[in-house]
Amino acid sequence: MKKEEFQKFSDKNKIIEISLLSFPKMKTEIDIELQSIEYFSEDSYRFGSKYSFSEEIIGDKINIEIPNGKFVGSIQVKISKTVPFYKNYFGIHTIYFGMNEKRIKEKFINGKCSSEYSFSIKLAKSSKYNNYCDDLDLENKKYKLKFLTNDKTEFNPSRTLALAYAGVSIGLTKSFTNYPYVPFLLLTSYFGFFLNDVEISSEIQQESL
């Protein structure tokens, strides 16, 4: 978070409670990107100050301080683990507030957040889990977010084949004529050969103040 902004609003900070349930012993990171928003009318708006937070989570809980106000943006949790030359585990779940995945402003009429499962091309066809909610309204609501895994991992053949293809393709270039297997070994040692997706879901609790 930007410390200078927090100093300005320190007496009005609100807490977002985030819990991690049944998470395996893997590297867990949280990324928060929020923008304060001020409405001129139902159809026009402008974005105000930006707030960002990125940190590895130690333990199963973390409290995030956000200045009082209304925000749009996202809160994302990522989990990963690599066993060199063997397996890679990766999972990602994003909660979007007041915007869609393309970061375009949306108004969600339904009071409950809607969930969605999809594949991300940018993440080499890794599975993604998203939730879409209305604006993050810290002025009138208290939020508790829970991210859950069921200890279920799923082998991802598309990502595994893509990694193998990349290693073989690079190895066939002129740069590696004498040692064509080197790129493949480097990639499999760094990423692990068998790529697996970890399923992460979320629960969003909102209480009126």
Side-chain angles (χ1 to χ4, degrees), residues 2-206:
K2 294 183 178 180
K3 293 183 180 180
E4 65 272 11
E5 302 237 18
F6 272 133
Q7 291 170 358
K8 226 186 284 184
F9 300 106
S10 60
D11 59 331
K12 297 181 180 180
N13 285 357
K14 296 294 182 67
I15 300 293
I16 297 179
E17 298 179 18
I18 298 175
S19 301
L20 308 177
L21 304 179
S22 302
F23 267 54
K25 292 182 179 179
M26 298 182 187
K27 182 180 179 181
T28 305
E29 300 173 280
I30 185 168
D31 291 304
I32 299 175
E33 293 288 341
L34 298 173
Q35 292 177 303
S36 61
I37 186 169
E38 296 177 43
Y39 292 92
F40 294 112
S41 69
E42 291 183 0
D43 299 319
S44 62
Y45 59 88
R46 66 183 174 87
F47 292 116
S49 303
K50 294 181 180 181
Y51 303 92
S52 61
F53 179 89
S54 182
E55 188 173 295
E56 184 175 346
I57 301 178
I58 306 299
D60 57 5
K61 288 185 179 180
I62 185 170
N63 290 336
I64 306 295
E65 285 192 53
I66 307 289
N68 188 31
K70 292 182 179 180
F71 299 85
V72 295
S74 62
I75 296 178
Q76 182 181 87
V77 166
K78 294 182 288 187
I79 186 170
S80 61
K81 179 181 179 180
T82 299
V83 181
F85 298 105
Y86 183 40
K87 284 187 178 182
N88 170 276
Y89 300 91
F90 181 79
I92 186 169
H93 187 104
T94 308
I95 301 175
Y96 291 95
F97 293 96
M99 61 170 51
N100 58 30
E101 191 175 352
K102 295 180 180 179
R103 309 197 81 78
I104 298 174
K105 183 72 179 71
E106 282 194 14
K107 181 70 176 176
F108 299 96
I109 300 174
N110 191 346
K112 292 186 178 180
C113 303
S114 60
S115 59
E116 182 180 295
Y117 165 79
S118 63
F119 278 93
S120 171
I121 301 299
K122 289 182 179 180
L123 296 173
K125 296 186 178 179
S126 175
S127 59
K128 290 191 307 180
Y129 300 86
N130 301 330
N131 259 323
Y132 299 92
C133 307
D134 207 357
D135 300 345
L136 185 68
D137 183 4
L138 295 175
E139 290 180 353
N140 303 300
K141 297 177 182 179
K142 179 180 180 181
Y143 291 83
K144 293 182 180 180
L145 309 181
K146 294 181 180 180
F147 292 90
L148 311 90
T149 70
N150 55 9
D151 211 19
K152 176 184 175 183
T153 62
E154 185 174 348
F155 173 62
N156 190 319
S158 298
R159 290 178 62 208
T160 301
L161 289 174
L163 177 70
Y165 177 79
V168 172
S169 298
I170 296 172
L172 293 176
T173 62
K174 293 181 180 180
S175 302
F176 295 95
T177 302
N178 296 325
Y179 304 97
Y181 51 85
V182 170
F184 181 78
L185 291 177
L186 289 175
L187 285 173
T188 56
S189 64
Y190 184 81
F191 293 104
F193 181 70
F194 299 102
L195 305 182
N196 297 266
D197 293 327
V198 182
E199 182 177 327
I200 304 175
S201 59
S202 69
E203 293 180 3
I204 299 96
Q205 297 178 3
Q206 306 176 34

